[in-house]
Amino acid sequence: MFEARLPNLPREYAGEGTEHRVANEMPWPSTRSSEHRNAGERHAPPAVRSDLARPRDADTLRRMRLPPLDADACAELHAYQFAHHPWAARWIGPPAAGGTDAPAVWVFRNRFDLPAAQTIRLHVSADQRYVLALDGRRIGRGPERGDLRHWMYESYALDLAAGAHVLTALVTWHDPAGPTPPPLAQVTHRPGLMVFCEELPALATSADGWQVKPLPAYRFVRAQPTNAFYAVGSRVDLDATVHDWDAADGNGDDWQLPAVLMPISFEASVHESQPQWVMRPAMLPAMRDEPHTALIVRHVDAPPSADTDATPLRAAAYLADEAAGWTTMLHGGGPVTVPPHTRRRVLIDLTRYACAYTQLRVDGGRAASVRLRWEEALRVYDPATDPSLRDARRKDDRDDIEGKHFIGYGDTLHCDGAARAFEPLWWGAGRYLELLVVTAEEALSVAGLEVHVTGYPYDYVGTFSASDGRLEKVVRLGLHTLSMCSHETSMDCPHYEQLNYAGDTRLQSLVALTTTADDRLVRKNMKLFDWSQAGGAWPSSRYPTGALQTIPPFGLLWAASVHDYAMYRSDDAFVRSLMPGVRATLDRWRYQIDRDGLVRTPRGWNFVDWVKQWRNGVPTPRYDTPCGVLQWHLCYALTLAARLEETLNEPLLAQRNRNTAAMLAASGERAFYDPARRLLADDVARTQFSEHAQVLALLGGECSASLRAGLVSAISAPTGDLAPTSIYFSHY
């Protein structure tokens, strides 16, 4: 037996509507408490120069970033005024931006003086990403991902001492059409920065105090270690010998005036604007920033070349006498010195999967290179027979490293002989890190490696107990998986794609709704798929995305996720805001029903599940032909939608959905039921059968009692040719 309990959820954990407010949200405008004091105090420059601003401790960062706002801070609602822009700020950008040869990283600065101590509130956004710092100390990262019609800005509360200050923003931009594109989950318009300060007009990005400098020492390498589908974008290759290390602190010469791009418009009050960067407050709290210290050195060797993919890890090559020094370095006990003309590969086991930013500290070693790569597990393959890595996907036991290959992606620092701290611009994901050091004429001191975990700050409050103790381990594993797949959106897989798919996200959201009282990420994901229905199209299968993808069945799963939320939370106002999109999705599917009451396969990728017997996960590959799996999937979605309409006091719409579902069940039973096998087929010729059709028919609840009994019996003892569900679809 087992039981799962979740404390009674307060109605304060409700949606974005005006009726409710997230429990820890701060009314706006507000008076900052004493815990925000000294957030902008001055700090002495460090001994080690970093390419990014030095981080504050995680607790200080959390206090400075304001909680999500209910409404735009200064975008007051007003009667229509032509070209009215509530904020006295503009988007600014590099003097000449765009093109594949443009620098991908710039730093913007604004130097200002305060005659007396003052509290200020900053609102910040950029395209594509920013790292914001005050007086050389990092304040935050952003912006939270959205789309061009719903572009997010973050808000910060800063208490500044009297005197001189410098505000900097490191802005990263990748050309989507270039050889090193951004992550596929990142949409973009052009490089830009927006800053607005309520108390200090001089900090707004329409003021004359802003300057910009390109940082061309950053080069980028696309993350594509094998022929698998990697959509995580590009990684950093930084040449320290030509990098402007003063720029991160807002110092140095050769600063330029930025280009003024366009006014700021707001989702809440836009009446007439360009369709890009329509602003709204960030919807989520700051992501986690916590040190990960459970690091173990599993292997140290001297590979024959810097191309380590083809060199397996062998116990015979293990440099046991050096491993202790590397372990000491990892835990802050002192540096490791790598002699001149030496290669060292260090395999670091994080002991459990992590999504994290890293900071590598080095000293000396002019012309040396240090590479840090991520991987989920080491791989089994033969480079002699597969030099292209086409089949390098087998992993086996993830604890085992003997004879396996590390084939990952990551970031590289080319050293200049000085003490440096190197931080990649985006986090990595996996179980293992590979540190490769290649020295030239000088020895290199590796002084430290910090790993800081990032992700959505879930607080799991559900409890679970079972008579079988193994199940508790499964629950812990599942919650860790949810944590790794929860960031500014939900994600299917953080190492490969980092994309928010409706099918994956529904299951993740169900776990979150069951185990935590914080449903802000769940609500945001539902909004994202609603926003993706532009121009009467199907909801995008993944969103946000730089490349639209149509999986019509995923629209049904998004509608099901709205039903889930309504059942788990008392938040009718938020659910009602999504219902026009839910109804539109179901109506598009109604157009796929022919005169015989059969659902015909729509255009697009009709993915249902990764099934060996199906090509590309599609049960019926030809368009405009009846499909039993889609027939019962629509029936199931309509049943959930009917229940959803009833909770919203829409009985006529509920009855319409039930009527359609009953019709689909009757026609589906006539067309797809094979009485000899007592199974529902995937096709009208009754040549292909799957667990999916049987399960969806049972979940829909509209098939006859005699059919239900037969289906339960058949899937309880499936035959060999009944296509099975994968681990993903086995939920159903």
Side-chain angles (χ1 to χ4, degrees), residues 159-279:
D159 292 333
L160 303 179
H165 298 276
V166 58
L167 184 69
T168 61
L170 190 81
V171 175
T172 306
W173 188 82
H174 299 263
D175 187 346
T180 57
L184 196 56
Q186 179 69 56
V187 298
T188 185
H189 173 47
R190 60 175 295 176
L193 173 70
M194 185 283 298
V195 177
F196 178 68
C197 179
E198 297 177 48
E199 295 80 9
L200 296 178
L203 288 185
T205 44
S206 58
D208 295 333
W210 283 94
Q211 296 175 305
V212 63
K213 177 184 287 191
L215 299 179
Y218 281 99
R219 295 191 307 110
F220 291 89
V221 179
R222 189 169 186 169
Q224 187 65 45
T226 72
N227 71 326
F229 179 47
Y230 288 85
V232 296
S234 305
R235 306 300 300 191
V236 167
D237 188 297
L238 181 64
D239 187 348
T241 63
V242 296
H243 184 52
D244 188 343
W245 293 93
D246 291 324
D249 294 334
N251 298 320
D253 301 321
D254 300 323
W255 292 81
Q256 308 171 49
L257 293 177
V260 178
L261 303 180
M262 58 188 288
I264 300 170
S265 58
F266 296 93
E267 180 195 20
S269 61
V270 65
H271 300 295
E272 194 164 332
S273 76
Q274 297 186 38
Q276 306 91 15
W277 296 337
V278 182
M279 305 289 294

Side-chain angles (χ1 to χ4, degrees), residues 498-521:
Q498 301 178 11
L499 287 163
N500 179 32
Y501 285 92
D504 308 66
T505 294
R506 186 201 179 191
L507 305 187
Q508 294 173 23
S509 297
L510 280 168
V511 178
L513 290 169
T514 306
T515 59
T516 175
D518 184 345
D519 46 36
R520 287 172 288 184
L521 180 57

Side-chain angles (χ1 to χ4, degrees), residues 590 593 597 631-632 634-636 638-639 642 654-670 700-704:
R590 280 188 168 94
I593 302 174
Q631 180 96 7
W632 299 109
L634 178 56
C635 184
Y636 168 56
L638 288 165
T639 302
Q655 190 58 50
R656 182 190 182 217
N657 287 331
R658 293 197 185 282
N659 291 343
T660 306
M663 180 272 294
L664 290 174
S667 57
E669 186 170 348
R670 289 192 301 269
E702 294 291 340
C703 53
S704 63

Side-chain angles (χ1 to χ4, degrees), residues 230-392:
Y230 288 85
V232 296
S234 305
R235 306 300 300 191
V236 167
D237 188 297
L238 181 64
D239 187 348
T241 63
V242 296
H243 184 52
D244 188 343
W245 293 93
D246 291 324
D249 294 334
N251 298 320
D253 301 321
D254 300 323
W255 292 81
Q256 308 171 49
L257 293 177
V260 178
L261 303 180
M262 58 188 288
I264 300 170
S265 58
F266 296 93
E267 180 195 20
S269 61
V270 65
H271 300 295
E272 194 164 332
S273 76
Q274 297 186 38
Q276 306 91 15
W277 296 337
V278 182
M279 305 289 294
R280 59 152 296 136
M283 304 172 74
L284 305 177
M287 297 295 105
R288 297 162 61 197
D289 187 352
E290 302 164 3
H292 181 86
T293 57
L295 307 175
I296 299 174
V297 173
R298 291 286 300 275
H299 185 80
V300 181
D301 68 8
S305 75
D307 183 11
T308 58
D309 288 354
T311 304
L313 287 85
R314 300 286 189 189
Y318 178 49
L319 301 176
D321 56 332
E322 297 186 16
W326 288 101
T327 299
T328 300
M329 179 275 296
L330 282 179
H331 297 284
V336 173
T337 299
V338 181
H341 304 293
T342 301
R343 278 187 295 271
R344 284 295 181 269
R345 174 172 62 172
V346 183
L347 180 69
I348 301 169
D349 188 343
L350 279 66
T351 66
R352 70 185 312 193
Y353 200 103
C355 300
Y357 289 95
T358 59
Q359 185 192 70
L360 179 70
R361 297 190 304 278
V362 300
D363 193 3
R366 174 176 288 274
S369 66
V370 186
R371 186 183 72 194
L372 192 64
R373 298 197 299 172
W374 290 85
E375 179 58 296
E376 292 190 315
L378 276 65
R379 301 165 185 261
V380 178
Y381 94 107
D382 184 354
T385 60
D386 185 21
S388 67
L389 307 179
R390 181 172 183 82
D391 297 318

Side-chain angles (χ1 to χ4, degrees), residues 408-627:
Y409 59 80
D411 309 276
T412 302
L413 172 68
H414 302 278
C415 303
D416 64 345
R420 303 297 188 193
F422 174 53
E423 299 180 36
L425 298 171
W426 191 241
W427 50 266
R431 161 80 180 272
Y432 291 98
L433 287 169
E434 180 198 59
L435 178 65
L436 177 70
V437 179
V438 180
T439 58
E441 299 292 334
E442 297 181 5
L444 175 72
S445 175
V446 181
L449 174 64
E450 294 183 12
V451 178
H452 281 254
V453 172
T454 187
Y456 190 82
Y458 274 131
D459 180 18
Y460 297 115
V461 296
T463 61
F464 178 89
S465 61
S467 56
D468 188 338
R470 293 174 298 177
L471 293 179
E472 295 186 34
K473 296 180 180 179
V474 173
V475 170
R476 290 198 299 270
L477 179 64
L479 293 181
H480 183 64
T481 301
L482 177 63
S483 294
M484 297 301 98
C485 295
S486 301
H487 296 265
E488 293 171 10
T489 67
S490 289
M491 293 181 177
D492 59 331
C493 48
H495 181 76
Y496 289 91
E497 299 191 28
Q498 301 178 11
L499 287 163
N500 179 32
Y501 285 92
D504 308 66
T505 294
R506 186 201 179 191
L507 305 187
Q508 294 173 23
S509 297
L510 280 168
V511 178
L513 290 169
T514 306
T515 59
T516 175
D518 184 345
D519 46 36
R520 287 172 288 184
L521 180 57
V522 174
R523 293 201 312 271
K524 180 187 177 182
N525 289 329
M526 288 188 287
K527 278 286 193 184
L528 285 168
F529 290 111
D530 191 32
W531 294 340
S532 75
Q533 297 186 88
W538 297 98
S540 180
S541 64
R542 60 191 186 208
Y543 207 74
T545 177
L548 292 176
Q549 183 189 73
T550 301
I551 301 180
F554 273 23
L556 299 177
L557 296 178
W558 168 69
S561 72
V562 178
H563 162 270
D564 300 337
Y565 182 81
M567 297 300 110
Y568 277 84
R569 298 291 190 266
S570 178
D571 190 3
D572 290 354
F574 178 72
V575 174
R576 284 185 183 278
S577 73
L578 298 170
M579 291 309 294
V582 171
R583 293 164 186 149
T585 297
L586 295 176
D587 280 344
R588 284 190 62 83
W589 274 96
R590 280 188 168 94
Y591 280 110
Q592 298 302 128
I593 302 174
D594 65 17
R595 64 181 62 187
D596 295 322
L598 301 180
V599 175
R600 292 186 170 268
T601 304
R603 296 281 172 175
W605 182 21
N606 290 285
F607 173 85
V608 173
D609 190 15
W610 290 117
V611 175
K612 185 180 297 185
Q613 294 91 326
W614 299 348
R615 184 177 180 182
N616 298 322
V618 177
T620 304
R622 292 184 59 187
Y623 294 132
D624 202 33
T625 57
C627 176

